[in-house]
Amino acid sequence: MENTPYFTNDTVVFGILMLCLGLVFYTTSLTSTFWKSFYRYVPALLLCYLLPAIFNSVGLISPEWSALDDNGNLIEKSSNVYYVASRYLLPASLVLMTLSIDLKSVFNLGPKALIMFFTGTVGIIIGGPIAILLISLVSPDTLGGIGFDAVWRGLSTLAGSWIGGGANQAAMLEIYQYNPDKYGGMVLVDIVIANIWMAIILIGIDRSKAIDKWLKADTTAIEALKNKVANYTASISRTPSLTDYIIMLSIAFVAVGLAHWGAGGISSFLSENFSVFNDKSSALSSFTSTFFWMITIATAIGILLSYTKVKQYEGAGASKLGSIFIYILVATIGMKMDLGMIFENPGLLAIGLVWMTIHAGLLIGIAKLIKAPYFFLAVGSQANVGGAASAPVVAAAFHPSLATVGVLLAVFGYVVGTYGAILCTILMEIAAVG
C-alpha cells in the first residue's frame, strides 16, 4: 500500500529537523516562567527526539515509504538523512569530542561501567525467555508458529539487535532462518521498544542528580573527569575565527574519510581472506560490519589526536561543534519512530515491553547494589540496546568528554552480541517449546 509522506525531498526534511532543533534551543534560552517550567519536566534532548517522531507519525516526513512508479508498480523508497547523520556526522562528532579526552581519566572511572554493561547484556539474555513464559500465560497464541515461522526464531533477531546491533541482528536472522515475510513484525518491535526505552533514558538524564542520590552513587570519578576537561577548556578558551572552524571541520571530516576508507578495507580483507568472517551464520560475521570499524577508527583517530597540539582546538569549541552533529543525529533517530506503530502488533509488543522491563529492572537493581551512577546505567544499557549509533549520544548528553565511554562500551556490544544472542535464543526455544 502506498504511504508516501507529505515531504519526500531530503533537503526539505533536513530543514524540518533543523527547525525542530532551532525551536527547542531557542525556547530553552527564553527566561519566561512558562518555558522554565516546561523544560523542568520535559528535557530539551527528549524534545529534539520527540518532535521529529511526531512529524513522522502524522505523515509529514518518514525514513522510508512505499510509492507507485510511473508504471503503477509499488516500490520502496527511503530518506538518506539518517544515513548521512550516522555515517558522516556521528564519526565527525566523535573525533571532535575526543580531542580533549584524558584516556587515563576514562579508565580511572573504574570497573562499574563494564559491570553495568554486562548487567545489561545479561538482562537481555534472560529477559527474552522470561518474557515468553509470562506472555504465554496470558496469550499463548502470540508465541505460535512452527518451523521457520516459530516466533522464538524471530525474537532471536531482537536479541542480536539489543546486545550488539544491526550486524548481529542480521547474523541471527541467517542462523535461525526466520521467515522473511514475517520479519517486518520483529523489526517493528525492535524500533518501537528500543526507541521508547531511549526516550525514558533521555528523561532520566535531566534528573540524573536525583537518581544518583537515590542510588547512593559515587560520582566522584565522573565529576573529576568533567571538571578536568572543563578546566582545560577554560585555560585554552579563545574566540574562534573562521580559520579555526575550517581547520576543525577539516580535521573531523578528513578523519571521517580515513575511517570510511579503513572500514571498507578491513571489512573486505576479512571477508575475502577468512571464510569464517564471510559466513553470515558465523558469530564472527558481525566483524565485517563497516559501521563497526568506521566508529572504531574514528574514535581511535580522535584519541590519537588528543596527544597532539590539535587538542588545543577544544579551546575554539571543538566539542561544541561535535555536539551540534550529535543533536542532528538525535533528530534523525527520532524521525525513525512512528508513534502509531505502538498499537499495530500488541502481542509481540507486549513481549518486547516485558523483555525491556526485565533488562531495565536488572540494571536498576545492580546499580543500587553497587552504587553505580545513572551515567553507567544509561550508557551500559544503550551500548547494548542502541549500539554505537546511540551509546555515544547518551554519553555525550551527560558531558561531551564522556562520549568515548559510550563508544568503548558499544564495541564490547559488537564483540559479545552474537554469542549472547545465541544463548538467549536457546533459552527462548526451551521456554517456547517446553
Side-chain angles (χ1 to χ4, degrees):
M1 185 176 68
E2 187 175 13
N3 59 343
T4 306
Y6 190 81
F7 297 108
T8 59
N9 186 305
D10 277 345
T11 307
V12 177
V13 172
F14 183 72
I16 292 172
L17 297 182
M18 291 306 296
L19 175 62
C20 293
L21 295 179
L23 287 173
V24 171
F25 276 83
Y26 172 71
T27 51
T28 56
S29 68
L30 299 178
T31 57
S32 66
T33 304
F34 171 79
W35 288 113
K36 283 187 174 181
S37 300
F38 178 81
Y39 284 110
R40 188 177 298 122
Y41 298 102
V42 182
L45 183 59
L46 175 63
L47 208 58
C48 293
Y49 170 87
L50 195 57
L51 286 178
I54 294 172
F55 288 152
N56 177 20
S57 303
V58 299
L60 285 179
I61 59 177
S62 179
E64 54 188 24
W65 62 91
S66 301
L68 297 175
D69 62 13
D70 294 337
N71 296 320
N73 299 315
L74 197 65
I75 58 173
E76 298 296 324
K77 293 190 174 184
S78 61
S79 168
N80 289 315
V81 176
Y82 172 74
Y83 181 87
V84 171
S86 62
R87 268 59 176 183
Y88 301 162
L89 300 186
L90 174 58
S93 70
L94 294 176
V95 173
L96 291 169
M97 291 192 295
T98 53
L99 287 182
S100 61
I101 193 65
D102 186 327
L103 200 58
K104 183 179 178 182
S105 296
V106 169
F107 289 124
N108 285 341
L109 291 175
K112 291 183 180 179
L114 278 177
I115 292 173
M116 294 309 297
F117 166 77
F118 284 113
T119 297
T121 303
V122 172
I124 296 298
I125 291 173
I126 67 173
I130 293 175
I132 285 177
L133 290 173
L134 293 176
I135 297 300
S136 66
L137 298 175
V138 180
S139 177
D141 293 340
T142 301
L143 300 164
I146 58 174
F148 296 119
D149 289 336
V151 171
W152 64 265
R153 292 181 185 273
L155 294 176
S156 72
T157 64
L158 289 184
S161 176
W162 289 351
I163 297 177
N168 306 88
Q169 184 179 31
M172 298 306 293
L173 182 62
E174 188 70 23
I175 292 170
Y176 289 99
Q177 297 290 307
Y178 183 59
N179 186 345
D181 293 334
K182 296 186 176 183
Y183 178 52
M186 297 299 167
V187 174
L188 182 146
V189 176
D190 182 11
I191 293 172
V192 171
I193 301 300
N195 280 280
I196 288 175
W197 176 233
M198 184 175 178
I200 293 171
I201 285 179
L202 294 180
I203 292 173
I205 291 175
D206 209 46
R207 295 160 175 78
S208 59
K209 289 184 179 180
I211 296 174
D212 286 336
K213 185 177 180 180
W214 178 76
L215 293 171
K216 297 181 180 178
D218 180 9
T219 61
T220 304
I222 296 174
E223 293 303 320
L225 174 58
K226 289 162 62 175
N227 291 334
K228 189 172 185 179
V229 172
N231 291 336
Y232 174 74
T233 302
S235 69
I236 60 172
S237 182
R238 65 178 189 270
T239 302
S241 64
L242 176 61
T243 300
D244 287 328
Y245 284 121
I246 294 295
I247 292 176
M248 287 188 290
L249 290 174
S250 173
I251 292 168
F253 286 104
V254 167
V256 171
L258 290 172
H260 276 261
W261 175 67
I266 294 173
S267 179
S268 297
F269 175 78
L270 293 177
S271 298
E272 294 169 3
N273 293 280
F274 302 96
S275 58
V276 67
F277 290 104
N278 201 35
D279 181 6
K280 290 185 179 180
S281 64
S282 168
L284 296 176
S285 64
S286 58
F287 288 99
T288 60
S289 166
T290 55
F291 184 75
F292 164 72
W293 289 112
M294 176 196 70
I295 294 299
T296 303
I297 293 171
T299 305
I301 291 173
I303 291 172
L304 289 174
L305 291 174
S306 72
Y307 290 97
T308 70
K309 291 184 178 180
V310 173
K311 182 175 184 176
Q312 296 182 0
Y313 279 100
E314 174 59 23
S319 63
K320 291 184 177 64
L321 197 56
S323 296
I324 293 173
F325 296 157
I326 284 289
Y327 274 98
I328 293 174
L329 177 62
V330 169
T332 64
I333 293 175
M335 186 182 77
K336 297 173 68 178
M337 176 63 175
D338 184 349
L339 300 176
M341 292 195 306
I342 295 175
F343 308 102
E344 285 192 8
N345 199 329
L348 286 178
L349 288 174
I351 294 176
L353 190 61
V354 172
W355 193 345
M356 195 60 68
T357 301
I358 294 168
H359 165 79
L362 187 62
L363 279 168
I364 294 170
I366 297 299
K368 183 75 172 175
L369 181 65
I370 66 174
K371 300 179 180 179
Y374 178 67
F375 168 74
F376 291 146
L377 187 158
V379 178
S381 174
Q382 280 302 298
N384 280 283
V385 179
S390 62
V393 173
V394 171
F398 287 88
H399 194 276
S401 64
L402 298 173
T404 306
V405 180
V407 177
L408 294 176
L409 290 180
V411 168
F412 281 112
Y414 273 103
V415 173
V416 304
T418 303
Y419 298 104
I422 290 173
L423 175 57
C424 177
T425 305
I426 292 172
L427 296 176
M428 287 193 294
E429 181 181 9
I430 293 171
V433 176

